[in-house]
Amino acid sequence: MGHTICEKRECTGCSVCVSSCPKKAIKIDLDECGFYRPKIEDNLCVNCNVCNRVCPVNNPPEVYGPTKAFAFQNTEEVRFNSTSGGFFHAIACRIIDDGGVVCGAAFEDDMVLRHIIVAKKEELAPLQRSKYVESSLDGIYTRIRDYLRNGRKVLFAGVGCQAAALRNYIGEDKNLIIIDLVCYGVPSSGLFRDWITYIEKKYAKVVDVRFRDKSYGYYTPNIKVLFENGKYIENCRDSNIYAKLFFRNLSVRESCFSCHFKTVDRSSDITLGDLWQTDGLETIKDDDKGTTCLFSHTEKGKELCQELGAVEIDKEMLLAKDAQKMVSCISTAAGTGKFWELYKERGFEVIINTYEKDNFLRKVKYLIKSLLNRTGLSRWMYRKLKMKKIRDNR
Ligand SMILES: Cc1cc2nc3c(=O)[nH]c(=O)nc-3n(C[C@H](O)[C@H](O)[C@H](O)COP(=O)(O)OP(=O)(O)OC[C@H]3O[C@@H](n4cnc5c(N)ncnc54)[C@H](O)[C@@H]3O)c2cc1C
Ligand code: SF4
Ligand code: SF4
Ligand code: SF4
């Protein structure tokens, strides 16, 4: 039997094993369900175990408890182009001002999500916003190491398994700042590409997907697919099917169901997430434009949060209210096996026709949602729902 790194169901696709293999014996590619998966060429492997030691599943890095909790709101313009309060943009600007570089996930021209490195503030826009798909980190670890060796500061932002992989690869370095995200899980890259291909065949070339578009407010969910010709689609079967499969937990990577990195203590410097409940915070006003919640885990992380003007909030209160999302894994959906069998055997178009039928009722549902959004009624309804949730939690 050939060399194995970690159990297949636990592998996160972080690809740090690929970067660390001294014999270049590991390649990463999409498996039959469209997830990034490392493959070892046995004839090149010398069983040195370097890949096993760097793999964050086999060998989780040391974690630190949150030292402090903060809330952050950037300017309205930055927040509109961010998922929550735009903290990522603020810290990225600081690192660039200090002569450093920023590494985050961006859609490239082929609409594949990859971690890229930028050194100018004008290049930050594609890195902003959460993208609900696996990001490719192939080759990124060695590039980060090279920047650090040249004395440059590096800010890295990614999901927990990627942050842990980078920490294992680099270790502690005063010039490295690692941000990880509160993470629901990630869907298959192959499925995402198939969805984009399906949409492009029907409409036009896709240039961006905004999974948490704020056109109707922070609390009103809206997915917007933007085309090269300046047009876009939203609130319809074609724009919503991909996220529907994600939030039904059907298209999520297997490792996300028993994630090792969803803990309150983290190996990162700062953890970012959405702050849904701003009631009781005097200096943060809930204006339906988004607030980032932050947990600092290191001295360096805490100092950066403070210097950037994040407002300190009661850590224990935030953990009591909101820690569930830091630690609880999503559960496997009934019918996942059938879903993947169908996808592998019959492809994406059969999936969409099975899971979101194109019938009269569906069209009426989207029409009503669209009207509610455009008249501002959905914004009002979602705020009411949010207030009810807060009252129920008291
Ligand atoms: C897949 C995913 C699931 C998430 N689930 C939750 C959740 O359940 N609860 C919660 O509170 N918050 C969740 N978040 C985090 C949240 O959506 C925001 O990213 C966070 O609030 C920071 O927002 P911001 O406005 O400060 O920065 P933003 O401008 O939104 O910056 C987001 C940063 O995330 C990076 N990023 C975007 N997509 C990916 C990706 N697919 N893989 C790796 N890095 C990526 C970008 O490079 C950027 O640096 C999730 C994020 C992702 C990517
Ligand atoms: S055991 Fe060593 S040579 Fe083999 S794949 Fe892992 S790192 Fe590469
Ligand atoms: S290092 Fe990452 S990609 Fe490689 S086996 Fe471990 S989890 Fe999978
Ligand atoms: S849930 Fe865990 S394993 Fe899945 S992408 Fe997020 S951090 Fe990685």
Side-chain angles (χ1 to χ4, degrees):
M1 205 179 103
H3 192 89
T4 51
I5 310 174
C6 69
E7 277 205 45
K8 186 173 176 246
R9 67 182 170 81
E10 291 192 308
C11 171
T12 68
C14 71
S15 87
V16 71
C17 50
V18 180
S19 297
S20 62
C21 174
K23 296 291 169 193
K24 299 201 179 340
I26 315 176
K27 301 269 175 295
I28 195 134
D29 216 339
L30 298 184
D31 66 13
E32 53 186 351
C33 297
F35 292 106
Y36 289 114
R37 191 76 66 189
K39 192 169 180 298
I40 299 179
E41 284 180 44
D42 291 328
N43 56 330
L44 297 177
C45 175
V46 292
N47 287 312
C48 66
N49 283 338
V50 169
C51 53
N52 302 70
R53 286 196 294 274
V54 83
C55 171
V57 171
N58 279 346
N59 192 17
E62 202 173 336
V63 290
Y64 308 94
T67 53
K68 290 205 180 289
F70 301 87
F72 186 84
Q73 291 181 337
N74 210 315
T75 60
E76 283 193 17
E77 193 190 341
V78 172
R79 278 192 288 158
F80 185 77
N81 293 314
S82 307
T83 313
S84 53
F87 181 79
F88 165 72
H89 187 268
I91 190 169
C93 288
R94 159 60 67 91
I95 300 303
I96 290 174
D97 283 341
D98 289 349
V101 296
V102 177
C103 178
F107 287 124
E108 295 202 285
D109 290 346
D110 54 2
M111 284 304 291
V112 174
L113 189 70
R114 296 187 182 88
H115 264 68
I116 62 165
I117 298 180
V118 301
K120 294 186 188 144
K121 288 184 197 170
E122 314 82 85
E123 297 168 336
L124 280 175
L127 278 68
Q128 286 172 253
R129 292 199 172 99
S130 296
K131 292 95 179 174
Y132 294 147
V133 60
E134 284 187 304
S135 176
S136 164
L137 277 82
D138 200 8
I140 215 71
Y141 300 96
T142 44
R143 290 186 59 207
I144 291 178
R145 184 197 59 200
D146 293 346
Y147 275 108
L148 292 168
R149 280 184 179 164
N150 288 329
R152 299 279 291 272
K153 276 193 178 174
V154 178
L155 171 70
F156 172 86
V159 287
C161 50
Q162 299 167 344
L166 180 64
R167 182 64 83 201
N168 268 3
Y169 189 75
I170 303 284
E172 288 302 324
D173 186 307
K174 69 175 176 17
N175 281 333
L176 175 65
I177 297 107
I178 300 183
I179 282 183
D180 71 350
L181 307 167
V182 174
C183 178
Y184 183 87
V186 284
S188 146
S189 298
L191 188 90
F192 177 77
R193 285 188 206 182
D194 290 349
W195 174 54
I196 296 294
T197 307
Y198 165 82
I199 287 184
E200 289 190 336
K201 264 206 282 184
K202 213 165 155 180
Y203 301 89
K205 181 162 172 34
V206 175
V207 289
D208 200 8
V209 179
R210 297 185 184 164
F211 289 101
R212 297 268 304 274
D213 175 63
K214 290 181 178 169
S215 300
Y216 308 106
Y218 178 51
Y219 298 114
T220 311
N222 192 48
I223 300 156
K224 200 173 206 158
V225 181
L226 292 95
F227 300 112
E228 196 175 41
N229 57 17
K231 296 187 174 166
Y232 63 86
I233 52 168
E234 62 180 10
N235 236 319
C236 64
R237 173 182 180 251
D238 290 340
S239 63
N240 283 24
I241 176 70
Y242 175 81
K244 181 177 173 178
L245 298 173
F246 174 36
F247 288 114
R248 278 182 63 183
N249 299 352
L250 286 167
S251 59
V252 179
R253 193 176 178 105
E254 207 178 356
S255 57
C256 303
F257 296 116
S258 52
C259 173
H260 293 258
F261 311 96
K262 283 189 132 186
T263 49
V264 173
D265 298 357
R266 302 271 175 131
S267 63
S268 63
D269 294 294
I270 307 172
T271 302
L272 307 186
D274 289 271
L275 186 67
W276 296 112
Q277 299 192 20
T278 48
D279 59 315
L281 304 178
E282 278 165 24
T283 38
I284 294 281
K285 196 171 141 270
D286 183 5
D287 52 6
D288 199 13
K289 294 187 169 71
T291 309
T292 310
C293 86
L294 320 163
F295 288 101
S296 62
H297 302 280
T298 60
E299 216 27 48
K300 191 166 46 175
K302 183 189 84 181
E303 279 168 16
L304 273 163
C305 293
Q306 288 169 335
E307 281 166 31
L308 290 165
V311 176
E312 189 173 337
I313 53 180
D314 185 343
K315 186 182 76 185
E316 299 310 326
M317 183 260 308
L318 190 64
L319 282 173
K321 269 187 181 174
D322 233 6
Q324 249 344 75
K325 68 179 185 185
M326 297 266 287
V327 294
S328 60
C329 285
I330 53 168
S331 6
T332 324
T336 313
K338 187 178 144 228
F339 171 82
W340 286 118
E341 283 313 313
L342 203 61
Y343 175 68
K344 285 188 281 187
E345 282 168 20
R346 315 238 348 243
F348 182 77
E349 296 208 14
V350 172
I351 289 282
I352 178 167
N353 288 323
T354 310
Y355 289 85
E356 182 90 332
K357 289 196 170 39
D358 192 16
N359 55 25
F360 178 71
L361 268 180
R362 181 90 51 211
K363 283 182 182 143
V364 172
K365 189 188 115 187
Y366 280 122
L367 193 69
I368 293 171
K369 263 196 90 183
S370 206
L371 277 171
L372 291 176
N373 280 356
R374 282 164 201 273
T375 54
L377 270 171
S378 54
R379 204 173 185 142
W380 177 82
M381 278 162 49
Y382 279 109
R383 283 184 79 87
K384 283 267 170 213
L385 271 175
K386 185 194 156 228
M387 294 319 290
K388 183 179 176 313
K389 214 170 153 195
I390 292 173
R391 276 198 304 275
D392 292 350
N393 283 342
R394 272 188 189 137

